[in-house]
Amino acid sequence: IGSLMGKWLTIERGMGLVNVSGFVSILAACCFGETLPRSHRLSREETALVQIWRPDIALRILISNTLFRRLSVIVFFSTLPMAGSQQCFLMFLEAAFGFDRVKCSGFIVVLAVCGLVIQMLVLPTLIPAVGVSKTLLIGLVLQLVQNLLLTFVHTPTSVLVSCIFGGFGTMIFPCVAALKSAAAGEQEQGRVQGAVSALQSSTMGVGPVVYGAVFAWTLGDGVPGGHPRPSATFMLSVVALVIAIAFASTIEKYVPEECKHTRPPSVRRSVSLLRRLSRTLSGTSLQEGSSPGPACTDSECGSPVAADLSGSGVTTGGASAVDCGRACSD
């Protein structure tokens, strides 16, 4: 949406739109509530024993076993070309084809729409069919195809096709997060996801620096051949993705059997986000120690509706009140 609106929005209005969307996101996060029941949270005594606030200790989980070490390498070498491409792609289109901002935005829209469609339709279908680790490998291979097209085929049509293949790169991080979440213990979910996100964010910062320097070199006088080769920048992505694919092809034997077809866990809530928002704006909130009401059972479907733990809006099992067609009090 941002790429599509960028054709008409000025910089000031674009920044205003970013600020509004950021405020709405923060407000929604505050209203969403805690997803982890109190009975599953670490006590202060437990957190005092493990100094998880120290980065060197918190990030140590990334190298705690063979699977996590290989997945960390995959995250680094798959995020690096993604971050670098975001930095250089528009400049590449301008230098190689002379496109203006409007034409460049069209390619970004194709890339974004393909990524959205793949995340919503392809990813949920592919994981149950072939498994998480193979889905991860497919995403890496297709991202490699994208960068091979950008490196060796120099036509606007090839750039358009590469954007379609680039949409499959959005499958990589969800697969890595799902594998690490399924392989980690229940008490380490926050730590492992935080460590993976920290590694990804660090790589997102390194990528533009590396790719910016390489792109500037490919446009200078010192480039082999004596004339600018902006497409040579994506050769760096090819090398990085080959390394990621080599590691991804070996993780299948390290993935526990029960985790091979897993999906990212979904949370079922008995309290809607709109109700939480209205309570926040009116000055009232759900108390964590309050009792949301007894569990109920639908006589027709026979599915128990589990009580909400700690007033967090998370049901622990069975069907929700909506599933059973009945209304339960908060």
Side-chain angles (χ1 to χ4, degrees), residues 34 92 164 260 317:
E34 177 58 62
F92 161 73
I164 298 175
K260 290 184 178 180

Coordinates of all heavy atoms in Angstrom, one line a residue, residues 34 92 164 260 317:
E34 N -2.1 -9.5 27.5 CA -1.0 -10.5 27.7 C -1.6 -11.8 27.2 O -2.7 -12.2 27.6 CB -0.6 -10.6 29.1 CG 0.4 -11.6 29.4 CD 1.7 -11.5 28.6 OE1 2.3 -10.5 28.7 OE2 2.0 -12.4 27.8
F92 N 19.2 0.8 -8.4 CA 19.5 -0.1 -9.5 C 18.6 0.2 -10.7 O 19.1 0.3 -11.8 CB 19.4 -1.5 -9.0 CG 19.3 -2.5 -10.1 CD1 20.4 -2.8 -10.9 CD2 18.1 -3.1 -10.4 CE1 20.3 -3.7 -11.9 CE2 18.0 -4.1 -11.4 CZ 19.1 -4.4 -12.2
I164 N 8.2 -11.2 -8.7 CA 7.3 -12.2 -8.4 C 8.0 -13.3 -7.6 O 7.5 -13.8 -6.5 CB 6.7 -12.8 -9.6 CG1 5.9 -11.7 -10.4 CG2 5.8 -14.0 -9.3 CD1 5.4 -12.2 -11.7
K260 N 8.0 -31.0 12.4 CA 8.2 -30.9 10.9 C 7.1 -30.3 10.2 O 7.2 -29.7 9.1 CB 8.6 -32.3 10.3 CG 10.0 -32.8 10.8 CD 10.3 -34.1 10.1 CE 11.7 -34.5 10.6 NZ 12.2 -35.8 10.0
G317 N -8.3 -24.2 25.9 CA -8.6 -25.4 25.2 C -10.0 -25.4 24.8 O -10.8 -24.6 25.2

